[in-house]
Amino acid sequence: MIVAESRRQSRQYVNSVKAESVLPILLVTPATVGLALCVGLPTLLSLVGSFFSIPLVPGAPWQFVGFDNFVFVFTDDAVLQSIVNTFVYSALTIVPSLAIGLGLALLANAVVKGRALVRTLLFLPMTANLVAMSVVFNWIFSFNGGFVNQVLGLLGVAPINWTGDSQTSLLTVAMVGVWRTASLTMMIFFAGLATIPTSIDEATRSDGIRGLVRLTKITLPLIAPTVVFASVMAVLNSVQVFESINIMTQGGPLGSSETVLTMIWKLGFEYFELGRASALSFVLLAVLVLLGVLQRRTLAGGVK
Amino acid sequence: MTRASKVLLTLVVLAAVAVAIFPFYWMIRTSVAAPSEVLSGGLGFFPETVTLENYKRAWEDGALGQSIIVGLANVFGILALQLVTCIPAAYVLAKVPRRWGRVLLTFVLAGLLVPTQVILVPLFIGVNAVGLADSLGGLILPFATSAFGIYMLRQQMLSIPDTLLEAAKTDGLGTIRTLISIVIPMAAPGIAAFSIFSIFVHWNDYIWPLLVARSPELRTPPLALAVFQQADAGMDYTALTAGAAIVTAPIVLLFLVAQKHFVQGMSGAESPS
């Protein structure tokens, strides 16, 4: 009888498992199909497309060109300049953004009165629309009557053609980049600092550990995952800069502020060299994926 | 803290706040100035006259009024699809153990590594091939689901106690009923944070609409503003800053009313889709 009972139970179990096994598959299907079509397939296509000359007309045959697109990407002067510019832009933005973001998070945390207001105001650059703010910065850095040149004029400095001079164009968009990215990293550091238990704070204080020692020996090690995450976000933001350049300099003058993403855009949608654009995209993707994997390695255990 | 270091701290923080908000001030200040004030050269730090005429020009001549409708349809169309696709998937990945769950999760995590900007070219080739270029569908459908959304919601749902779901099962609730009446309410903070993140990203997105929206009536607010700058307004910074304020205001307001969720979403990650 016990055997019959357990058989009945197990048959019931099998039936419910059957019904229950289809449903979860149905539940994940839309997301899986969506990711496959909108992320998986394009990623694959960006690799495959790198080896072809692709006409813009849908359905027209692709022509296999071997490694020509990659050769082009690594030998063309304009593309190489855009790669160099991306490195320069990143150098100008990443470290300052992280230093300012961390510094401001620490300082604003120490503010007693009006801390919430200070934090909200410091978050604003991150929240605003970058196209809109680039239009505003265009005006602030405008050669004629722009605020920066007005202030410089008061100091007796001749007006500078910030966005229109190949010496300053990249620097100008980099300043906008720091203005925005420092706000993002500060937001991330704020969240990280909030995870430090107050007991540790009190203990270090009563032990008289403060200043730089406290920062490097206590605070930074405690928020190490946050530091890694903020760094990755700063790098991602810098390497993929687009809006500010598209609005303020269009990559010019003479390609002096062209970056990888604006170059991909030009190759693909102004020169209609979709194969070459795919090749450059794929190089950028490889770099970003490598970066993401490194981040996960560093944060091993962070992902369950 | 000594008195001197307190003063220094306050000064540094005030300076940082000034730099952070100055562009916003200058945007508003310019947007209410008479165009002649700007053309005559120096614009004073404080407004002399206040006019809303520039907003009218940006709204009508810059077609920003029309673009806001497109922007809202775009943002909420994307959000609706993302919630419908991400919530059930996150639920299964968090609470319905399956042998293939591990594989699917790896797929989602891999998707997190691929920013839209980088697969722009193949994505456009695909959208063009299925005839969706220059349509609202072309704006919305590529973002119908989000690896970040699935991952973030799954993390949130993991913290729901299993005993609660066991109890629901004992009470005879099926998978779907459990999802609707227990999991979704308990994951509400995560859903709110992700929703705000999604609205933020897609209201501000520029590069994809720039590519897909060829017709003027499909322009999203940032795109309409960019076109306004290039085509009509040129150096007319009073109308342009008014336009910038119109584009920025909704998202800044959203941030101000939902700062907690916003920060939770942002400090999670900042890559679109």
Side-chain angles (χ1 to χ4, degrees):
Chain A
M1 205 184 104
I2 294 171
V3 174
E5 174 75 0
S6 86
R7 253 192 210 147
R8 201 170 57 82
Q9 268 183 356
S10 85
R11 197 164 49 236
Q12 255 181 1
Y13 178 73
V14 167
N15 280 340
S16 81
V17 164
K18 260 185 194 159
E20 285 286 282
S21 69
V22 181
L23 194 56
I25 293 179
L26 287 179
L27 289 176
V28 299
T29 299
T32 312
V33 171
L35 283 182
L37 284 180
C38 300
V39 183
L41 192 62
T43 307
L44 210 64
L45 205 62
S46 115
L47 175 61
V48 175
S50 302
F51 295 97
F52 286 85
S53 170
I54 307 171
L56 198 65
V57 187
W62 293 12
Q63 197 194 340
F64 184 76
V65 295
F67 282 92
D68 282 7
N69 292 327
F70 286 104
V71 171
F72 172 83
V73 158
F74 287 115
T75 52
D76 182 73
D77 285 342
V79 177
L80 288 178
Q81 193 189 355
S82 77
I83 295 175
V84 171
N85 284 347
T86 306
F87 277 111
V88 174
Y89 177 89
S90 300
L92 289 171
T93 51
I94 294 169
V95 172
S97 298
L98 287 170
I100 295 171
L102 178 61
L104 283 182
L106 291 167
L107 287 178
N109 247 349
V111 170
V112 185
K113 259 188 215 161
R115 173 159 51 181
L117 178 66
V118 164
R119 195 166 46 180
T120 302
L121 294 177
L122 289 176
F123 285 171
L124 280 182
M126 187 54 239
T127 64
N129 184 287
L130 193 49
V131 171
M133 295 327 284
S134 299
V135 167
V136 175
F137 274 112
N138 231 357
W139 164 224
I140 289 175
F141 285 108
S142 165
F143 183 66
N144 286 317
F147 183 80
V148 174
N149 279 346
Q150 270 193 66
V151 172
L152 290 179
L154 293 178
L155 302 171
V157 180
I160 296 170
N161 195 353
W162 292 98
T163 56
D165 185 329
S166 57
Q167 299 286 320
T168 50
S169 57
L170 195 60
L171 178 72
T172 308
V173 285
M175 286 194 270
V176 176
V178 172
W179 176 80
R180 184 170 177 86
T181 311
S183 179
L184 170 69
T185 56
M186 190 199 57
M187 192 182 273
I188 296 170
F189 282 125
F190 247 123
L193 289 173
T195 62
I196 298 180
T198 44
S199 57
I200 292 184
D201 243 23
E202 282 155 14
T204 53
R205 198 156 297 164
S206 65
D207 287 350
I209 305 170
R210 59 172 93 89
L212 217 55
V213 177
R214 182 167 144 204
L215 178 68
T216 54
K217 300 276 185 219
I218 312 277
T219 312
L220 283 182
L222 278 174
I223 61 164
T226 308
V227 176
V228 174
F229 180 62
S231 311
V232 170
M233 292 321 283
V235 173
L236 283 182
N237 258 341
S238 299
V239 173
Q240 301 184 71
V241 58
F242 183 80
E243 282 94 336
S244 52
I245 291 174
N246 182 276
I247 298 292
M248 295 176 71
T249 68
Q250 291 86 44
L254 299 172
S256 59
S257 60
E258 202 80 77
T259 58
V260 172
L261 205 57
T262 62
M263 196 68 219
I264 290 174
W265 180 274
K266 281 202 175 141
L267 285 177
F269 309 115
E270 282 178 26
Y271 311 148
F272 303 113
E273 293 282 1
L274 292 169
R276 288 173 176 175
S278 291
L280 187 55
S281 298
F282 194 76
V283 172
L284 179 60
L285 179 65
V287 172
L288 294 182
V289 166
L290 194 70
L291 199 75
V293 170
L294 278 178
Q295 178 203 10
R296 272 183 209 166
R297 282 278 159 79
T298 324
L299 297 179
V303 174
K304 273 189 224 167
Chain B
M1 240 191 287
T2 63
R3 207 185 158 77
S5 65
K6 239 180 208 165
V7 172
L8 191 67
L9 169 77
T10 312
L11 285 179
V12 173
V13 170
L14 281 180
V17 168
V19 172
I21 64 173
F22 174 74
F24 296 94
Y25 172 72
W26 206 238
M27 170 173 79
I28 303 295
R29 193 260 167 277
T30 309
S31 73
V32 298
S36 57
E37 261 185 274
V38 172
L39 289 175
S40 68
L43 196 60
F45 193 81
F46 297 105
E48 289 147 38
T49 54
V50 171
T51 168
L52 292 180
E53 200 54 32
N54 304 314
Y55 282 86
K56 195 171 162 236
R57 272 189 298 145
W59 190 267
E60 287 167 5
D61 303 349
L64 281 162
Q66 143 102 33
S67 76
I68 283 181
I69 299 167
V70 179
L72 289 174
N74 181 41
V75 159
F76 287 105
I78 289 173
L79 179 62
L81 284 173
Q82 285 183 339
L83 290 180
V84 167
T85 56
C86 294
I87 290 175
Y91 167 54
V92 171
L93 287 177
K95 289 297 171 189
V96 187
R98 280 292 176 272
R99 254 177 300 150
W100 41 262
R102 197 78 216 165
V103 180
L104 186 56
L105 184 62
T106 310
F107 183 53
V108 171
L109 289 175
L112 271 178
L113 294 175
V114 182
T116 314
Q117 282 90 323
V118 180
I119 51 169
L120 210 61
V121 177
L123 206 53
F124 181 74
I125 293 175
V127 165
N128 198 25
V130 295
L132 278 174
D134 202 23
S135 73
L136 196 59
L139 282 177
I140 292 175
L141 287 176
F143 307 103
T145 194
S146 154
F148 174 64
I150 299 169
Y151 178 69
M152 185 178 172
L153 294 176
R154 171 187 175 266
Q155 296 304 94
Q156 175 93 26
M157 290 175 187
L158 279 177
S159 63
I160 299 173
D162 281 331
T163 48
L164 208 67
L165 300 181
E166 293 295 328
K169 205 173 209 170
T170 324
D171 287 349
L173 258 62
T175 308
I176 299 274
R177 289 285 303 278
T178 311
L179 172 63
I180 291 171
S181 53
I182 296 178
V183 174
I184 289 179
M186 291 203 68
I191 294 173
F194 171 69
S195 300
I196 286 173
F197 173 80
S198 170
I199 291 172
F200 167 80
V201 166
H202 293 288
W203 180 269
N204 286 339
D205 189 20
Y206 173 60
I207 194 163
W208 183 249
L210 180 62
L211 192 49
V212 172
R214 300 276 146 162
S215 321
E217 60 273 14
L218 267 180
R219 284 177 192 147
T220 58
L223 183 56
L225 180 63
V227 171
F228 190 38
Q229 168 177 268
Q230 284 152 19
D232 309 316
M235 295 286 127
D236 180 4
Y237 283 110
T238 52
L240 279 174
T241 49
I246 293 172
V247 175
T248 298
I251 216 72
V252 169
L253 285 179
L254 180 71
F255 164 69
L256 292 178
V257 296
Q259 188 173 348
K260 201 187 83 193
H261 295 307
F262 198 100
V263 173
Q264 195 197 335
M266 293 304 292
S267 50
E270 208 244 344
S271 78
S273 100

